[in-house]
């Protein structure tokens, strides 16, 4: 980077210009050469570092760029708070940063910042990973109000998840919804909260279960247990009326420590096949699904119907 110094968290700030004896054109030329990525006015990131980052990490750097340029510490909400909590969200993170704004400011949004006016008594604000953010219950309420049904359920399931160190209760999220007193999408958010569960072990499982519901299929039991002479097996979904097991196959599932760090992909697939053979000896069938199935409702419907999953409507 030559004379350009990198600030903490990957940021390069033009506020150092005077100290370094540089001018703004130095940064502009570095951007043109592909050495820097411009985040917002006065804030950049080293291009090599940027290319190494995940979508969420890039979004967090954008948030830091907003924070360092603010006269007072901003309180992040919505997608921005979700990024800090590592709450799963669909697809990529947005390009705009979401912050709370006192009602007196009018909540005006400009360029890369979306300001949400809100009363002082509404929000519970905490510090996490160096950011001021809405707490988990408030963030989950925001996502329930903002996202489509299946995606919102994925976020709220995570907030309720029994293995989440930051888990909250449905009651806490309901209180936050009431505090917001939304004019729009209240019934939508309440439907999300009613459907959400602490028993879903991944965002993919939550999304698949929600799309099943939207398509009118009978809700399955979650994390049902089966046992044979080799031990216990826990499945993602089980429809006891037809004795069909459903398994969501997400990439992260095969990266869990329980699969063994030393196992080859072939060994993992073989182990899953043997497990499925054990299950098939106890049930009428096993249907496996992946994210590509879930994201194509027509295909997903054919998959579930072909497996014999009961449907409330045709």
């Amino acid at each position: 980077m030559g004379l350009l110094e990198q600030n903490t968290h990957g940021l390069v700030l033009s506020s150092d210009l005077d100290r370094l004896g540089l001018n703004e054109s130095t940064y502009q030329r570095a951007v043109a050469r592909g050495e820097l990525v411009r985040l917002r006015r006065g804030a950049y990131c080293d291009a090599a570092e940027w290319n190494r980052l995940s979508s969420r990490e890039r979004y967090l750097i954008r948030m830091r760029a907003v924070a360092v340029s603010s006269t007072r510490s901003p309180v992040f909400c919505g997608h921005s708070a979700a990024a800090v909590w590592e709450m799963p969200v669909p697809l990529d993170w947005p390009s705009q940063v979401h912050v709370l704004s006192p009602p007196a400011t009018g909540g005006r949004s400009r360029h890369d910042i979306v300001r949400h006016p809100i009363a002082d008594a509404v929000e519970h604000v905490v510090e996490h990973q160096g950011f001021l953010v809405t707490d988990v219950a408030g963030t989950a309420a925001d996502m329930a109000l903002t996202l489509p049904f299946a995606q919102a359920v994925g976020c709220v399931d995570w907030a309720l998840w029994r293995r989440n160190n930051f888990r909250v209760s449905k009651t806490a999220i309901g209180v936050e919804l009431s505090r917001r007193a939304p004019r729009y999408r209240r019934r939508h958010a309440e439907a999300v909260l009613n459907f959400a569960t602490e028993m879903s072990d991944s965002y993919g499982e939550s999304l698949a279960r929600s799309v099943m519901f939207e398509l009118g299929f009978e809700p399955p039991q979650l994390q049902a247990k089966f046992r044979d002479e080799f031990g216990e097996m826990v499945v993602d979904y089980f429809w006891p009326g037809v004795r069909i097991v459903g398994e969501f196959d997400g990439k992260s599932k095969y990266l869990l420590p329980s699969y063994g760090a030393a196992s080859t992909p072939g060994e993992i697939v073989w182990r899953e096949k043997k497990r499925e053979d054990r299950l098939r000896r106890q049930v009428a069938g096993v249907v496996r699904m992946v994210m590509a199935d879930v994201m194509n409702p027509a295909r997903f419907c054919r998959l579930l119907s072909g497996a014999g999953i009961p449907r409330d409507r045709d």
Side-chain angles (χ1 to χ4, degrees), residues 37-54:
V37 175
R38 185 180 185 275
L39 304 178
R40 67 194 316 265
R41 182 177 180 180
Y44 306 83
C45 180
D46 177 73
E49 175 69 15
W50 181 261
N51 292 334
R52 287 193 293 266
L53 299 177
S54 67

Side-chain angles (χ1 to χ4, degrees), residues 185-251:
R185 295 175 68 85
R186 175 191 288 272
R187 292 183 62 187
H188 167 85
E190 290 173 346
V192 167
L193 185 57
N194 288 336
F195 186 73
T197 177
E198 65 174 24
M199 297 299 292
S200 189
D201 280 347
S202 74
Y203 177 78
E205 289 181 30
S206 297
L207 195 67
R209 186 179 101 260
S210 303
V211 176
M212 291 175 200
F213 177 75
E214 291 180 307
L215 292 172
F217 286 95
E218 180 181 300
Q221 290 182 7
L222 304 181
Q223 312 305 325
K225 297 179 180 179
F226 294 85
R227 178 173 289 278
D228 61 10
E229 65 272 26
F230 300 106
E232 185 178 81
M233 298 171 286
V234 181
V235 301
D236 299 334
Y237 317 110
F238 179 54
W239 289 268
V242 290
R243 296 202 59 75
I244 301 292
V245 161
E247 293 277 65
F248 179 85
D249 289 333
K251 179 180 178 181

Side-chain angles (χ1 to χ4, degrees), residues 95-113:
S95 59
Q96 293 180 308
V97 171
H98 294 258
V99 301
L100 292 181
S101 176
T105 67
R108 297 179 63 185
S109 301
R110 296 180 179 177
H111 307 299
D112 58 341
I113 301 177

Side-chain angles (χ1 to χ4, degrees), residues 18 24 32 49 70 99 125 139 141 168 183 194 204 236 267 285 314:
D18 291 341
E24 185 66 30
E49 175 69 15
S70 301
V99 301
V125 175
T139 303
V168 295
R183 295 181 181 180
N194 288 336
D236 299 334
E267 289 170 338
D314 296 323

